Amino acid sequence: MPASGPQDYPHQLQYLEEQLPEEDFVLLAESFSGPTAALLAAKHPANLKGIIFVATFLRAPNPIMAKLASLIPVPKLLNVPGARTLLKHQFLNSPEAGISDTLLHDTLRGLDHKIIEARLKALENIPEFEFKSEIPAIYLQAEKDTIVPASCAEDFKAVFSNFEIKRFPASHLLLQSYPESTAKIMADFLSSLQ
């Protein structure tokens, strides 16, 4: 997703379409990028062979939390006492976790807070998804995710007819919390598309 400029979903889709290869491809859509991948699927590109959704949504997952988070800049949140512990609980909670809470904290500190604020604002205007798609899709669900609740996975069933959910006892950063397990599932999904 673009690291600058407008962050609303129509602009995200335009940015994505400019990056797409001419050959067959599979999309990986994590968190904020889920609606963008669904918007692309609605256009039925012939070379889109599958989508892997990870801890994402098709409608604002928690509008009240997003509104509150948009009012407090990320750098200020990171300076609150106990922020490191809270971040670890919210994002990483697995013995397989591939990154440390220090790396997570430092990465979040380095993010452009204006981009984060713009993306939180974009959650207020997610398009309606009223199309049906036969594109194979899998959803890797983080069952302990308080940012994107597990119930968000259910919305995808109404759009994608060839759809499967794989559940993990993880927080929001599922791929980082379970790198080996999720890599195996993704590899199996890719093999099933051939």
Side-chain angles (χ1 to χ4, degrees), residues 87-93 104 108 147 171-173 177:
L87 287 172
K88 185 172 184 175
H89 174 74
Q90 290 290 103
F91 292 99
L92 298 167
N93 67 347
L104 173 64
L108 290 173
I147 296 167
S171 295
H172 190 60
L173 294 180
S177 294

Side-chain angles (χ1 to χ4, degrees), residues 27-41:
L27 275 182
L28 172 63
E30 185 180 19
S31 193
F32 181 79
S33 64
T36 307
L39 286 170
L40 182 66

Side-chain angles (χ1 to χ4, degrees), residues 2-174:
S4 62
Q7 298 297 310
D8 58 272
Y9 283 103
H11 281 96
Q12 293 278 332
L13 177 61
Q14 179 183 352
Y15 176 85
L16 175 61
E17 289 178 313
E18 292 168 0
Q19 312 301 313
L20 294 176
E22 304 241 345
E23 62 272 4
D24 291 349
F25 67 96
V26 173
L27 275 182
L28 172 63
E30 185 180 19
S31 193
F32 181 79
S33 64
T36 307
L39 286 170
L40 182 66
K43 292 186 166 197
H44 306 288
N47 56 342
L48 174 56
K49 299 304 177 189
I51 305 175
I52 301 167
F53 292 105
V54 182
T56 188
F57 48 87
L58 291 180
R59 58 185 162 83
N62 192 334
I64 294 169
M65 184 163 45
K67 187 69 171 169
L68 287 173
S70 70
L71 298 174
I72 304 170
V74 172
K76 287 188 179 179
L77 285 174
L78 296 175
N79 291 328
V80 172
R84 221 177 269 265
T85 302
L86 179 63
L87 287 172
K88 185 172 184 175
H89 174 74
Q90 290 290 103
F91 292 99
L92 298 167
N93 67 347
S94 153
E96 239 185 80
I99 63 174
S100 69
D101 57 331
T102 301
L103 179 58
L104 173 64
H105 188 268
D106 293 347
T107 300
L108 290 173
R109 185 175 293 288
L111 295 176
D112 182 342
H113 68 73
K114 295 209 180 294
I115 295 297
I116 300 297
E117 289 170 13
R119 289 186 179 179
L120 290 170
K121 183 78 174 155
L123 295 177
E124 297 173 13
N125 296 302
I126 298 173
E128 293 288 322
F129 294 96
E130 298 177 355
F131 71 98
K132 298 285 185 193
S133 176
E134 293 182 13
I135 295 170
I138 188 169
Y139 188 103
L140 305 184
Q141 180 186 71
E143 292 181 309
K144 296 180 181 178
D145 194 343
T146 57
I147 296 167
V148 178
S151 60
C152 289
E154 298 300 317
D155 295 338
F156 290 82
K157 290 180 180 178
V159 175
F160 295 91
S161 60
N162 188 354
F163 182 74
E164 183 178 4
I165 299 173
K166 298 288 187 178
R167 294 174 173 85
F168 292 83
S171 295
H172 190 60
L173 294 180
L174 173 55

